[in-house]
Amino acid sequence: MTITIDGRVRAVTMWDFSWLERRWAGAGYEDWDVALAELADRGYDLVRIDAFPHLVSADPERTWTLLPFWNQQAWGAQSVVTVQLLPALLDFIAAAKRHGVDVALSTWFRQDADDVRMRLATPADIARVWTDTIRHIDRAGLLGSVVAVDLCNEFPLPVWAPFLYGTDNGPGFPLTHPRVGAWMRESIELVREQYPDLDYTYSFSATYEDYPDIEVAAFDFLEPHIWMAGTSDYYTKVGYAFERYDSVGYDNVVLRGRQVYLAEQERFDATLFAEIDRVAEWSRVSGKPVVTTECWSIIDYKDWPGLQWDWVKDLNERAVRYAAATGRWTGIAVSNFSGPQFVELWRDVEYHRRLTTLIRGSAVDADLIEGAR
């Protein structure tokens, strides 16, 4: 099965590494059947998760110690946590199948105590850990529930692809860098040789003015992450700098986040919609469908004293409608906060149903239907 079929648009959510790390009482994923039933009830039919391929390949049954990437966000664990990948990954995919939800695999290359991710030195290494992981799923008879593989989240950012640089700090290469294009092409081709029936991509978090020079010929679909806060000077005006272990950024969002947006709403919206238009044109030029799983308003948010969800929800809804109307998206998320740990957003069931109904009923341009494998 592939992600682009029959001209149908998928309503997708991102559960990243939270599906496995957030399993303590009240964390949202302690009972996968409950969480997935709620996901299906809200109208979603696809979930993107971290498959931890580097750890599956190294030792799938080992208990791994994961180090926290942050303590200010509600994704994943905010302290040290231990995980075992198998049979957990297989159990989750089986649970998703029971609830009529397909799975897209991705990875954030989470850091464990031994920092196994830094052993990945070549595109062939990335391909190897992914084929090892897919093989376990295939042998379990569950590959029919997997539709796509994103070989690295938001490539080539050092925080998620530190093996490219020997560090997880710094700006990293631009998407147009020849090494980036070669790495993506070679790794996808190697995995596709073993498993040709899946769709493959690398997801991005950037602005896409240089899209003609980004090498995506090997991709089956584009996976750009798009936010108002990432396409404008919004965060600069708010005073938020992605602080991972200090609440000062969120304190500033409480003080100014909503007000800054509403004061210049028309300008901020224009930057977001212009980026959606740009990605739609990228799709037309490349012939690739678009799937966006992280989007549309603010990048980082959570249930927190003084933070209101009304403006976030409103902008997300307008962006969903705008993207869906282009005919270039075959997978659309309501938000990167569409998970049970974001309680106030999650409990607005009718909001999710309204938007997933819109998404799944959207039309897709004819060339994308004809081009589907």
Side-chain angles (χ1 to χ4, degrees), residues 8 10 36 40 44-46 93-103 145 360:
R8 178 159 60 97
R10 299 297 192 95
L36 286 161
Y44 294 91
D45 61 349
L46 180 62
I93 296 172
K97 182 179 180 179
R98 287 195 295 274
H99 294 281
V101 177
D102 289 328
V103 177
S145 291
R360 295 171 70 174

Side-chain angles (χ1 to χ4, degrees), residues 275-345:
E275 191 77 321
I276 293 172
D277 287 336
R278 185 176 294 114
V279 169
E281 185 59 23
W282 185 12
S283 171
R284 295 183 190 101
V285 170
S286 67
K288 311 291 183 182
V290 185
V291 176
T292 293
T293 69
E294 300 189 44
C295 48
W296 297 98
S297 52
I298 192 168
I299 299 171
D300 292 343
Y301 215 63
K302 59 183 175 180
D303 298 301
W304 189 257
L307 295 185
Q308 299 168 283
W309 285 91
D310 58 339
W311 68 276
V312 176
K313 291 163 63 177
D314 174 68
L315 180 51
N316 284 346
E317 179 163 356
R318 288 184 288 112
V320 165
R321 293 181 182 278
Y322 195 93
T326 68
R328 305 310 300 180
W329 266 260
T330 58
I332 302 177
V334 172
S335 169
N336 46 300
F337 310 116
S338 294
Q341 72 268 48
F342 299 97
V343 177
E344 186 171 343
L345 182 63

Side-chain angles (χ1 to χ4, degrees), residues 228-229 232-238 257-258 260-261 268 298 311:
M228 173 278 296
S232 69
D233 59 353
Y234 170 79
Y235 270 152
T236 300
K237 287 180 170 289
V238 170
R258 187 173 184 271
V260 164
Y261 170 72
F268 287 129
I298 192 168
W311 68 276

Side-chain angles (χ1 to χ4, degrees), residues 18-181:
S18 296
W19 73 273
L20 184 61
E21 294 185 27
R22 296 185 62 88
R23 304 211 68 200
W24 65 89
Y29 303 88
E30 54 269 43
D31 187 323
W32 291 326
D33 275 303
V34 170
L36 286 161
E38 291 178 349
L39 186 67
D41 181 58
R42 285 157 177 76
Y44 294 91
D45 61 349
L46 180 62
V47 60
R48 172 175 172 249
I49 64 167
D50 193 335
F52 300 83
H54 57 309
L55 303 183
V56 172
S57 179
D59 188 343
E61 297 180 355
R62 173 179 167 179
T63 298
W64 295 93
T65 299
L66 301 181
L67 308 183
F69 184 71
W70 42 45
N71 64 13
Q72 292 299 306
Q73 306 296 356
W75 293 292
Q78 286 72 50
S79 187
V80 173
V81 65
T82 58
V83 300
Q84 184 182 38
L85 273 301
L86 293 188
L89 178 62
L90 305 179
D91 290 346
F92 181 89
I93 296 172
K97 182 179 180 179
R98 287 195 295 274
H99 294 281
V101 177
D102 289 328
V103 177
L105 303 177
S106 182
T107 185
W108 285 248
F109 286 109
R110 289 282 286 112
Q111 183 181 18
D112 72 286
D114 297 328
D115 215 359
V116 168
R117 61 189 183 157
M118 298 306 285
R119 301 174 190 172
L120 304 173
T122 67
D125 290 334
I126 297 293
R128 172 181 50 80
V129 300
W130 270 116
T131 53
D132 288 348
T133 301
I134 297 168
R135 188 174 300 114
H136 284 289
I137 299 169
D138 191 17
R139 288 173 177 170
L142 292 167
L143 198 56
S145 291
V146 175
V147 299
V149 179
D150 164 26
L151 277 69
C152 181
N153 175 67
E154 297 181 347
F155 195 76
L157 296 181
V159 290
W160 309 127
F163 41 81
L164 280 177
Y165 313 97
T167 177
D168 58 8
N169 293 313
F173 298 128
L175 287 172
T176 54
H177 194 285
R179 186 181 178 194
V180 171

Side-chain angles (χ1 to χ4, degrees), residues 176-247:
T176 54
H177 194 285
R179 186 181 178 194
V180 171
W183 187 290
M184 295 188 299
R185 180 185 67 255
E186 292 170 20
S187 56
I188 287 176
E189 289 174 350
L190 287 169
V191 184
R192 184 178 282 127
E193 286 178 5
Q194 299 297 314
Y195 292 96
D197 294 331
L198 297 174
D199 279 352
Y200 298 98
T201 196
Y202 275 82
S203 61
F204 302 140
S205 177
T207 54
Y208 305 106
E209 297 91 341
D210 297 329
Y211 72 81
D213 299 318
I214 302 172
E215 186 176 333
V216 295
F219 288 25
D220 292 298
F221 62 99
L222 308 174
E223 224 277 58
H225 300 163
I226 308 168
W227 296 273
M228 173 278 296
T231 60
S232 69
D233 59 353
Y234 170 79
Y235 270 152
T236 300
K237 287 180 170 289
V238 170
Y240 184 82
F242 299 95
E243 293 86 352
R244 289 196 253 164
Y245 298 99
D246 190 325
S247 67

